[in-house]
Amino acid sequence: MAESGSLPTGFSELEVLAVGTVLLVEALTGLCLNSLTILSFCKTPELRTPTHLLVLSLALADTGISLNALVAATSSLLRVSRRRWPYGSEGCQALGFQGFLTALGSICSSAAIAWGHYHHYCTRSQLAWNTAVSLVICVWLSSAFWAALPLLGWGHYDYEPLGTCCTLDYSRGDRNFTSFLLTMAFFNFFLPLFITLTSYRFMEQKLRKTGHLQVNTTVPARTLLFGWGPYAVLYLSATVTDVSAISPKLQMVPALIAKTVPTINAINYALGREVVHRGIWQCLSPQRSELDRAQ
């Protein structure tokens, strides 16, 4: 459908351009903020800690989501001029895999950070390097495993309603789709969300007893619910009803919301911390940082 010579069903040319513009803004913002996070980690010795390794994993995943959004934004502009998906069916499968891999990496990295914070504040001990590395490896191996399954026949990647990006094909209500989606949703959305909620809840209780509640314990879980909850609702509704009854514009809303997650995560986990601010300042002003160290 997306490779035909007409605009996608339910969208005008102006609407395609509008969605493409929104995606472009989301992509560039997420890329800039997460690139600063990655650069500060690589250039600043103070940030090379096990806890910040988990944040680096999240920044890498969110950079991948932003790159996926950039491809979708470019495709939106090309759809207006060429009236077709520019990368072919193989490009759709590759983009679907990349987008799903980085989305799962972002969700699971957020859960790993939540557990890392719980470990730090509740045990009063630093996260060990071998634990942090093991967590990161598990996050990406698990994400790659689930993202590869649609390529192997369990699940399927297809065009989103706008025809400018590819994701899980939720229009198929067959047993193959339903079994994959329910299993994937449990292990890659509800389980990470449960880990995030319980980790911060226990941490909040511990810190309240000591009178040192200095960490925002609600934003991470709310980010997961806000960013990925609409996708979960859409996918789960597709297992019990015909999604063709939902307008194509409404089906695009979860994708647009999810593309804001890299920006929110960068502000919440990295750019909102003073040590990262110093790291970014050192990266952007190397001469000034050398003078500060000399003094």
Side-chain angles (χ1 to χ4, degrees):
M1 71 178 179
E3 295 188 62
S4 62
S6 60
L7 288 172
T9 304
F11 292 91
S12 66
E13 184 173 300
L14 181 60
E15 289 169 337
V16 174
L17 284 173
V19 172
T21 301
V22 172
L23 288 170
L24 184 62
V25 172
E26 292 175 330
L28 294 179
T29 304
L31 281 174
C32 290
L33 296 183
N34 284 283
S35 295
L36 285 175
T37 301
I38 296 170
L39 183 63
S40 64
F41 180 89
C42 295
K43 295 289 187 179
T44 310
E46 296 91 329
L47 294 177
R48 296 172 195 163
T49 65
T51 300
H52 284 101
L53 179 64
L54 301 179
V55 177
L56 175 65
S57 174
L58 178 64
L60 290 172
D62 286 341
T63 299
I65 295 175
S66 297
L67 288 173
N68 189 274
L70 184 61
V71 173
T74 304
S75 302
S76 299
L77 302 178
L78 293 177
R79 284 283 289 173
V80 173
S81 60
R82 299 185 182 181
R83 297 288 197 271
R84 63 188 298 273
W85 166 258
Y87 308 114
S89 59
E90 293 182 356
C92 177
Q93 297 301 303
L95 189 65
F97 171 80
Q98 185 270 345
F100 198 34
L101 169 69
T102 52
L104 296 182
S106 177
I107 294 171
C108 294
S109 292
S110 296
I113 292 173
W115 183 87
H117 285 166
Y118 163 79
H119 178 274
H120 173 71
Y121 286 101
C122 293
T123 66
R124 296 298 178 182
S125 60
Q126 293 292 334
L127 191 66
W129 272 108
N130 59 346
T131 303
V133 171
S134 298
L135 282 173
V136 171
I137 292 175
C138 287
V139 162
W140 287 102
L141 285 180
S142 173
S143 300
F145 170 77
W146 286 101
L149 288 178
L151 300 177
L152 301 176
W154 198 21
H156 182 69
Y157 292 123
D158 202 356
Y159 304 100
E160 289 184 337
L162 191 62
T164 59
C165 196
C166 293
T167 185
L168 287 176
D169 181 9
Y170 50 85
S171 64
R172 303 186 180 193
D174 55 16
R175 183 176 299 178
N176 177 286
F177 164 77
T178 302
S179 62
F180 171 76
L181 189 60
L182 292 177
T183 308
M184 182 276 300
F186 173 78
F187 285 105
N188 295 286
F189 179 71
F190 293 107
L191 184 57
L193 179 61
F194 174 78
I195 293 173
T196 301
L197 284 170
T198 54
S199 295
Y200 282 112
R201 178 55 59 91
F202 286 137
M203 185 177 71
E204 181 180 12
Q205 293 175 354
K206 179 73 172 180
L207 294 177
R208 284 190 185 279
K209 291 180 180 179
T210 60
H212 295 88
L213 185 58
Q214 301 173 340
V215 180
N216 192 323
T217 59
T218 60
V219 171
R222 289 178 180 178
T223 301
L224 284 179
L225 283 173
F226 168 78
W228 305 108
Y231 255 135
V233 171
L234 178 62
Y235 285 173
L236 292 177
S237 65
T239 64
V240 296
T241 186
D242 184 7
V243 293
S244 62
I246 304 175
S247 70
K249 295 185 182 69
L250 189 58
Q251 292 181 46
M252 282 301 300
V253 171
L256 294 176
I257 293 176
K259 298 301 190 294
T260 65
V261 171
T263 298
I264 297 173
N265 282 342
I267 295 173
N268 180 41
Y269 289 106
L271 302 181
R273 298 170 182 248
E274 184 179 352
V275 64
V276 179
H277 288 170
R278 292 198 302 267
I280 294 174
W281 179 250
Q282 290 177 15
C283 294
L284 298 179
S285 305
Q287 294 179 348
R288 176 64 180 273
S289 62
E290 288 178 2
L291 289 174
D292 291 342
R293 284 195 295 266
Q295 292 175 355

